[in-house]
Amino acid sequence: MKKNPREMPEIPQNGRFTALRRALSVLLIPISYMFLEGLLAHLTLDPAGYRFGGAMLSAFALGMLCNAAVFAFRRKWAGFAAAFVLLEIACLYFCVQFFVNNSYQTFMDPLTILQGAGGVADEFGEDVARLVREGAGYIAAFHAPVIALLCSAKLWDFRRGKGAWAPAAALLCGVFLQSLAMGAQTMDPAGAAKYTYEYAFNDGISCFGLITSTERDVVYAFRGVPERKAVKKAAPASAFAGSGDGGAPAFFGSNKLDIDFDALAEEESDLSVAAIHRYVAEQKPSLKNEYTGLMEGKNLIVICAESFAAEAISEELTPTLYRMAAKGIVFEDYYQPFWGGSTTSGEFAVLTGLVPVNHANSMQQIIGHDNATCIGRYLQPLGYTCIAYHNGDFDYYNRYLTHPCLGFDRFISNGTGMEDYLTDMWPPSDTEMMEATIDDWIGEDHFYAYYMTYSGHSIYNFTHQEQAIKHQDEVEGLDASTKIKSYIASQLELEEAVTILYGRLEEAGLLDDTLIVLTSDHYPYALQNSMIWANDRDYLYELYGYAASDEALRDHNALIMWSGAIEKLDEPIVVKQPVCSTD
């Protein structure tokens, strides 16, 4: 009989050796998954709060479930190929999550990674190539199971054998161990909340590992995060904004819709919608104050500035931004959280006032919905012309699909009209975007213009970042590293754009009738110590002047809310309490 060329060559063996090969083959994937969990935890996680035992049990259980597929074949080469594919997928997934954490100090759920993969490969190919070069050792470490499989190919025996007992046994064992792992997580008082109603992908990894968190992410994507069974009724809102000089507190009312949400919950047949009605009914409304309605009827310009930081503002280098920050509403304790999904998550918080609990997916999930509570949907019925702009590609993060759902009459970007005004450089110019678009709305009776900028994007140097190169001479006198100088220089393009905006509004006599809001999408993460950003140390420490040892210190920022009408007030408006972008 002619031998099948795809069959791996046999090696001499006795019965004891055959049994050993089978046992090793059964344990290969489960132990490999445990190795990957342990390696990722060692390199990225704080041991405090990490349920090592539960994470290892889940990894072993998933490996046994995978064995059900590997041992489903009679031929050695087929089982070997299945084992290789399952190991490579896992090794690559863990490796990607390690580099995501190294670059952004967070983890990203699988869908977020997949959505951004094409754009990252296209726009940041050089950064990825450098990451592969500099991180080759880590790539090899995370691929150790695949390397072991390939380097000892003759050792493994993944054949099904007679009957179907092998895959069936692996399946039953995997289901049993997975049930134990799930039970251990839900019975753990400290971790049960994060496993169920307080689940978040990034927090889940820190608690019970990547495999369990990914499994929860998939399950909750289909059936939703479980609702907390017992919710305490919120205390009634205070009717007063503050106390006077020994007299009764001043009363300005509360921000509350005239809707009976309890009644809506009783009438609603959809349990998920009814739960939302009950949740809203239990919330404590915020209070109005003496400034409520101050900007009613004004025009609105919102700028979400790429990688902007409060430290980029200075009286000498950014006089326009400095004036707006100092003479508008002064926020002494403002934060733009990173939200775990980079730019699109920051945009989502700014544009909707909602927490992007699903990170980058949150923005995608608004497609096809009314989104009635966002700014544009509120202003459109009042006769405002609402237009959104971005000087990046129109299809990155699917902005051409998401932004029209946010109450914008038009979304103009590179590929939908903006390309006619942009010079071929990277990153694109905020100044060119501003100059090209002001005439779209400045003659309207009322307008809402939104800008997502790009010029402040990493990587920061004077060789590839063309906006930094453009402003290099302006920062030469700074007592700072080249990395920080190039970062500040890139933000000077934003200063130039805002200065042009201010001048055009002044010419049109609209400074008193326009509110300008400027915030960031996220902190300048490309300044922290990371392989992908080619940083040999923490330049964020140099920018801030202190170590960003926690998220609050890292995510602090400046919020600009300025209008000529605000600047002319007798007393400045100073906000001392903590505020974040959803506010």
Side-chain angles (χ1 to χ4, degrees), residues 117 166 422 489:
L422 298 176

Side-chain angles (χ1 to χ4, degrees), residues 301-540:
I301 298 171
V302 176
I303 301 173
C304 188
E306 172 65 43
S307 300
F308 183 71
E311 287 74 15
I313 300 176
S314 70
E315 189 172 5
E316 298 76 20
L317 292 175
T318 61
T320 303
L321 291 173
Y322 180 85
R323 174 181 178 176
M324 290 182 173
K327 298 185 177 181
I329 301 177
V330 179
F331 295 88
E332 295 186 344
D333 201 11
Y334 173 74
Y335 302 86
Q336 169 53 300
F338 187 50
W339 304 119
S342 196
T343 295
T344 188
S345 302
E347 269 198 285
F348 179 84
V350 170
L351 289 171
T352 66
L354 301 174
V355 174
V357 291
N358 291 320
H359 305 326
N361 302 330
S362 296
M363 186 68 95
Q364 306 302 313
Q365 289 171 341
I366 70 170
I367 299 173
H369 296 282
D370 186 62
N371 308 301
T373 58
C374 66
I375 301 171
R377 287 280 184 250
Y378 174 78
L379 294 178
Q380 276 180 324
L382 300 179
Y384 281 70
T385 296
C386 304
I387 312 177
Y389 302 98
H390 178 46
N391 44 348
D393 291 343
F394 76 101
D395 56 351
Y396 199 53
Y397 289 128
N398 288 325
R399 285 189 177 96
Y400 74 106
L401 297 176
T402 59
H403 285 41
C405 299
L406 292 167
F408 294 110
D409 304 310
R410 286 176 286 163
F411 171 64
I412 302 174
S413 189
N414 189 19
T416 57
M418 185 72 70
E419 65 276 8
D420 296 335
Y421 306 99
L422 298 176
T423 304
D424 185 15
M425 62 175 68
W426 194 91
S429 167
D430 295 343
T431 299
E432 291 179 349
M433 173 173 64
M434 191 65 70
E435 289 177 327
T437 58
I438 292 176
D439 287 335
D440 290 347
W441 45 259
I442 200 166
E444 300 292 336
D445 290 337
H446 290 87
F447 55 81
Y448 164 36
Y450 168 73
Y451 290 90
M452 178 68 234
T453 73
Y454 204 161
S455 291
H457 206 290
S458 61
I459 191 168
Y460 304 115
N461 54 45
F462 290 119
T463 55
H464 297 96
Q465 222 284 4
E466 295 186 73
Q467 302 308 325
I469 296 171
K470 174 182 174 182
H471 297 281
Q472 183 174 2
D473 291 344
E474 299 168 57
V475 299
E476 282 301 328
L478 292 178
D479 182 16
S481 65
T482 299
K483 184 74 69 171
I484 296 300
K485 286 182 180 179
S486 60
Y487 168 73
I488 297 295
S490 73
Q491 297 296 334
L492 295 185
E493 186 70 4
L494 172 66
E495 163 70 13
E496 186 176 327
V498 174
T499 301
I500 290 171
L501 172 65
Y502 182 95
R504 291 294 306 275
L505 291 171
E506 186 176 35
E507 290 175 6
L510 293 173
L511 288 178
D512 290 353
D513 295 320
T514 304
L515 175 66
I516 298 175
V517 179
L518 188 147
T519 183
S520 65
D521 55 345
H522 51 68
Y523 75 103
Y525 54 72
L527 290 175
Q528 58 200 10
N529 190 358
S530 170
M531 285 177 284
I532 192 171
W533 310 125
N535 295 338
D536 56 355
R537 60 186 176 87
D538 183 11
Y539 290 95
L540 202 62

Side-chain angles (χ1 to χ4, degrees), residues 4-115:
N4 189 334
R6 291 179 296 183
E7 288 280 9
M8 293 183 180
E10 296 288 346
I11 57 176
Q13 54 191 302
N14 54 37
R16 185 176 296 177
F17 185 72
T18 299
L20 178 62
R21 289 179 64 202
R22 295 283 287 179
L24 290 174
S25 301
V26 169
L27 293 173
L28 175 64
I29 295 180
I31 290 179
S32 295
Y33 287 1
M34 293 172 66
F35 165 77
L36 292 171
E37 279 283 16
L39 181 61
L40 184 69
H42 172 68
L43 293 174
T44 64
L45 299 179
D46 183 347
Y50 184 66
R51 274 68 177 173
F52 182 81
M56 293 300 106
L57 183 59
S58 293
F60 194 89
L62 178 62
M64 293 303 296
L65 290 173
C66 290
N67 276 340
V70 170
F71 287 93
F73 303 96
R74 287 187 178 275
R75 297 184 182 276
K76 286 184 181 180
W77 69 267
F80 185 89
F84 171 79
V85 170
L86 290 170
L87 279 178
E88 176 58 27
I89 290 174
C91 291
L92 186 61
Y93 181 49
F94 273 84
C95 189
V96 168
Q97 288 289 1
F98 166 73
F99 284 119
V100 166
N101 184 268
N102 180 260
S103 303
Y104 305 106
Q105 304 300 301
T106 188
F107 298 98
M108 292 185 184
D109 61 89
L111 187 55
T112 299
I113 292 174
L114 289 173
Q115 287 175 341

